[in-house]
Amino acid sequence: MIRLRLDVSGGQAIRVPLGCEDSHYLVDVMRLKAGDSLEVLTRDNTVWSAVLEPNHMVRLQTELDRHNRLPRHVTLYQALLKGDHFGAVVDRATQAGVGRIVPIVTARCIVREVSLNKRARWSLLAKEAGEQSHRIDVPDIGDLASLDSLVPGGGAFGCVLDPRAAYDRPWLEPQHGPVELVVGPEGGLTPDEVSRLQSVGFRPISLGPRVYRAENAGAFATVLFLQ
Amino acid sequence: MIRLRLDVSGGQAIRVPLGCEDSHYLVDVMRLKAGDSLEVLTRDNTVWSAVLEPNHMVRLQTELDRHNRLPRHVTLYQALLKGDHFGAVVDRATQAGVGRIVPIVTARCIVREVSLNKRARWSLLAKEAGEQSHRIDVPDIGDLASLDSLVPGGGAFGCVLDPRAAYDRPWLEPQHGPVELVVGPEGGLTPDEVSRLQSVGFRPISLGPRVYRAENAGAFATVLFLQ
């Protein structure tokens, strides 16, 4: 079943005009015709069965169950990466089930700014990866933040990926409640940065003896947190 | 520390002439000079501290510990995918720690052959991703197999990713012993194919209510098996 995210509130028999891109996706790429069924994810994170109507309209029918809500909310503070690697993070972490992605600048970041274009592209990647994985809630992309501004939110388990940390798994307990995860750039965080994060409550954790590409680390950790 | 895989047996003070590509990688890409240190992974899966010498030679010094051996062996039977997506599987699954990757042909595969070029490229991707993740044992790429020929090896936990399977986690027990995992192509396996696999001992498992891209599914499952 094709899923589409639309920026509307859910409601029975609501008709929604499609934007150009969504219409192109449904009609030209996915070959849907008027009368064909699809599912729509709404702004309020509900999922509706829906029908494609003529003239680029979609009509919502009934609300579907919420069985695919994620078991916990993971915020990924990801250092900016070279090339299009941050986009790869957005794609993979969204598939893995991350709830929010916040780009951060750290000492070893080579890229240090986020253009409006790039940010729009990341939002699109999150939307597409979320639809493809049948997620109800697509992660939002936060504003660029500095590492120094990070403090774990109340009740959240704050942690920072650090290959020097001990290789154990107690950080997978408790298995409920929000997670805030910091992942560094290609060259890693500096020891000073890890110390600073530790001093405000982020726990250094290791995913084991392997060293993951920056594009994979956040997604792999999220898979474990959401197991 | 830079790691390089060389097709030699390990041994103290052994001198190894570098091939063009490895020499280019160390000298031109990584900017190593004669006298600089690196680590070498040998054919017999040992890791050695080593030094770059003049005239494209590397000298092995002492064997390093084996702390980063993987806790269990995962074989990934991955259906052929469109475009370069199989290469993405090799890259990500290697990073995740898979031990062997065997391409398979299934009913819904669009690509149905593997050229020698493609296979050589996959081996290179596995080597690079393995070195980057500091793995001792880089996965080998098996010959193309048909789905019908698959039977789990003795003592292995055989399983097949199937979004229709129940969403539970008992398949993460036991946490030891080899795993043989079958992952379908973009359109999934047919119900008949899943039944056939089940009849020879592969258990249908689900990674949860989300649907992963074929490029991610094998890697994400491997992360869980190796947790």
Side-chain angles (χ1 to χ4, degrees):
Chain A
M1 179 63 70
I2 293 163
R3 287 215 179 186
L4 191 68
R5 187 168 185 90
L6 294 176
D7 190 24
V8 294
S9 298
Q12 206 135 19
I14 281 182
R15 280 192 162 75
V16 189
L18 290 172
C20 282
E21 282 184 16
D22 287 332
S23 181
H24 168 71
Y25 172 70
L26 292 182
V27 175
D28 302 327
V29 180
M30 301 310 293
R31 307 278 176 201
L32 252 60
K33 296 181 294 292
D36 283 349
S37 299
L38 68 155
E39 291 176 3
V40 169
L41 292 74
T42 63
R43 183 168 50 204
D44 41 338
N45 289 332
T46 56
V47 180
W48 294 74
S49 68
V51 170
L52 184 64
E53 299 200 328
N55 299 321
H56 315 290
M57 298 286 281
V58 157
R59 180 166 45 86
L60 305 191
Q61 295 179 307
T62 50
E63 186 179 351
L64 302 176
D65 69 43
R66 294 158 182 253
H67 72 285
N68 43 9
R69 278 208 182 285
L70 293 160
R72 65 200 301 197
H73 190 274
V74 178
T75 300
L76 173 61
Y77 294 104
Q78 170 69 57
L80 293 177
L81 302 171
K82 285 186 291 186
D84 202 21
H85 291 175
F86 198 96
V89 168
V90 170
D91 181 74
R92 290 175 214 180
T94 299
Q95 287 250 305
V98 84
R100 178 173 160 79
I101 302 172
V102 181
I104 57 172
V105 174
T106 73
R108 291 182 184 147
C109 283
I110 291 168
V111 179
R112 305 189 72 84
E113 288 179 346
V114 177
S115 67
L116 284 178
N117 270 351
K118 201 168 244 187
R119 177 140 176 198
R121 183 172 144 65
W122 294 343
S123 294
L124 184 65
L125 284 171
K127 176 175 182 285
E128 288 174 350
E131 282 166 5
Q132 199 276 340
S133 63
H134 290 199
R135 283 183 55 171
I136 289 187
D137 50 334
V138 168
D140 72 327
I141 312 286
D143 289 328
L144 185 64
S146 79
L147 189 82
D148 290 343
S149 70
L150 302 187
V151 178
F157 174 63
C159 52
V160 46
L161 272 191
D162 177 15
R164 289 160 295 225
Y167 172 37
D168 52 22
R169 291 276 183 268
W171 52 269
L172 286 175
E173 308 288 343
Q175 299 190 340
H176 302 284
V179 174
E180 302 193 7
L181 169 68
V182 183
V183 178
E186 281 94 351
L189 298 169
T190 66
D192 277 357
E193 287 177 323
V194 173
S195 298
R196 193 248 143 216
L197 287 169
Q198 208 169 353
S199 73
V200 297
F202 288 96
R203 171 172 172 169
I205 63 170
S206 159
L207 287 181
R210 294 173 292 293
V211 176
Y212 297 114
R213 279 193 221 292
E215 301 99 285
N216 290 329
F220 288 0
T222 299
V223 166
L224 289 174
F225 279 121
L226 297 181
Q227 71 183 309
Chain B
M1 179 66 69
I2 293 163
R3 286 215 180 187
L4 191 68
R5 187 167 187 88
L6 293 176
D7 190 23
V8 295
S9 299
Q12 205 136 19
I14 282 183
R15 280 193 162 73
V16 189
L18 290 172
C20 283
E21 281 185 18
D22 287 334
S23 182
H24 168 71
Y25 171 71
L26 292 182
V27 175
D28 301 327
V29 180
M30 302 309 294
R31 307 279 175 199
L32 252 61
K33 296 180 295 292
D36 284 348
S37 299
L38 68 156
E39 290 176 3
V40 169
L41 292 74
T42 64
R43 182 167 52 204
D44 41 337
N45 289 331
T46 55
V47 180
W48 294 75
S49 68
V51 170
L52 183 65
E53 299 199 329
N55 300 319
H56 315 288
M57 298 287 281
V58 157
R59 179 166 46 86
L60 305 191
Q61 294 179 308
T62 51
E63 187 180 351
L64 302 176
D65 69 44
R66 293 160 182 252
H67 72 285
N68 43 9
R69 276 208 185 284
L70 292 160
R72 65 199 302 196
H73 190 276
V74 178
T75 300
L76 173 61
Y77 294 105
Q78 170 69 56
L80 292 177
L81 301 172
K82 287 186 290 186
D84 202 22
H85 290 176
F86 198 96
V89 169
V90 171
D91 182 74
R92 289 175 216 180
T94 300
Q95 286 250 306
V98 85
R100 177 171 159 82
I101 302 173
V102 181
I104 57 172
V105 175
T106 73
R108 292 182 183 148
C109 282
I110 292 169
V111 179
R112 305 189 74 83
E113 288 179 345
V114 177
S115 67
L116 284 177
N117 269 350
K118 201 169 244 187
R119 179 147 173 190
R121 184 174 142 66
W122 294 343
S123 294
L124 184 64
L125 283 172
K127 178 176 182 282
E128 288 174 351
E131 283 166 3
Q132 198 277 338
S133 63
H134 290 200
R135 284 183 55 170
I136 289 188
D137 50 334
V138 168
D140 72 326
I141 312 287
D143 288 329
L144 185 63
S146 79
L147 191 81
D148 290 343
S149 70
L150 301 186
V151 177
F157 173 63
C159 52
V160 46
L161 271 190
D162 177 13
R164 289 160 295 225
Y167 173 36
D168 51 23
R169 291 275 182 266
W171 53 269
L172 285 175
E173 308 288 343
Q175 300 190 338
H176 303 286
V179 174
E180 301 193 7
L181 169 68
V182 183
V183 178
E186 281 95 349
L189 297 168
T190 66
D192 278 357
E193 286 176 324
V194 174
S195 298
R196 194 248 142 219
L197 287 169
Q198 208 168 354
S199 73
V200 297
F202 288 96
R203 170 172 175 170
I205 63 168
S206 159
L207 286 181
R210 293 172 293 294
V211 177
Y212 297 115
R213 278 193 223 292
E215 301 101 283
N216 290 330
F220 286 2
T222 299
V223 166
L224 289 174
F225 279 121
L226 297 180
Q227 72 184 311

